[in-house]
Amino acid sequence: MNLFTVLGQLRILAILEGISYLLLFPTVILKYGYDMGMPNKIVGSIHGLLFILYSIWVGYYALKHKWDLKKTLICLAASLFPFATFIVDHKILKKEALKEVSASDER
């Protein structure tokens, strides 16, 4: 993954957003089971930021590369479900990266 490309940044954001979503589960248990709200507040804030950044990057990349509405909505909806951004990275974003590499090889 090349972090200097929008797609590389999007792929990293997808993975980080998915991890932050999964980290919310134990912090919710801490918050409601053990009356420890601070971990949930911290992880929730980080997850919120990553959610927003991921959504912006998906929108920007989709416009830049003229994605159809279906692919764009699938990528955006993935941020609403645990594990889904990992699947989107594997099924959609990885293929986009391979297309970009093969396109640059042809030049």
Side-chain angles (χ1 to χ4, degrees), residues 20 22 38 54 84 96 104 106:
S20 72
L22 295 176
M38 190 54 72
Y54 172 78
E96 287 290 320
S104 67
E106 291 174 5

Side-chain angles (χ1 to χ4, degrees), residues 45-104:
S45 297
I46 293 168
H47 172 68
L49 176 65
L50 290 169
F51 172 84
I52 291 167
L53 291 173
Y54 172 78
S55 299
I56 290 170
W57 257 252
V58 166
Y60 177 72
Y61 190 83
L63 288 172
K64 186 177 173 186
H65 291 272
K66 297 178 176 53
W67 274 3
D68 61 8
L69 186 59
K70 180 181 174 185
K71 187 187 288 189
T72 304
L73 290 178
I74 288 170
C75 288
L76 288 172
S79 64
L80 303 175
F81 302 100
F83 299 105
T85 55
F86 301 125
I87 296 167
V88 161
D89 178 57
H90 182 70
K91 300 267 184 183
I92 296 175
L93 302 178
K94 191 173 184 181
K95 289 180 183 175
E96 287 290 320
L98 292 173
K99 281 196 314 191
E100 282 189 2
V101 167
S102 65
S104 67

Side-chain angles (χ1 to χ4, degrees), residues 17-34 36 39-41 43-44 47 79-84 86:
E17 199 276 339
I19 292 169
S20 72
Y21 202 145
L22 295 176
L23 288 175
L24 282 175
F25 292 111
T27 64
V28 168
I29 293 168
L30 289 173
K31 180 178 180 178
Y32 293 107
Y34 298 97
M36 296 172 58
N40 186 259
K41 194 174 205 172
V43 173
H47 172 68
S79 64
L80 303 175
F81 302 100
F83 299 105
F86 301 125

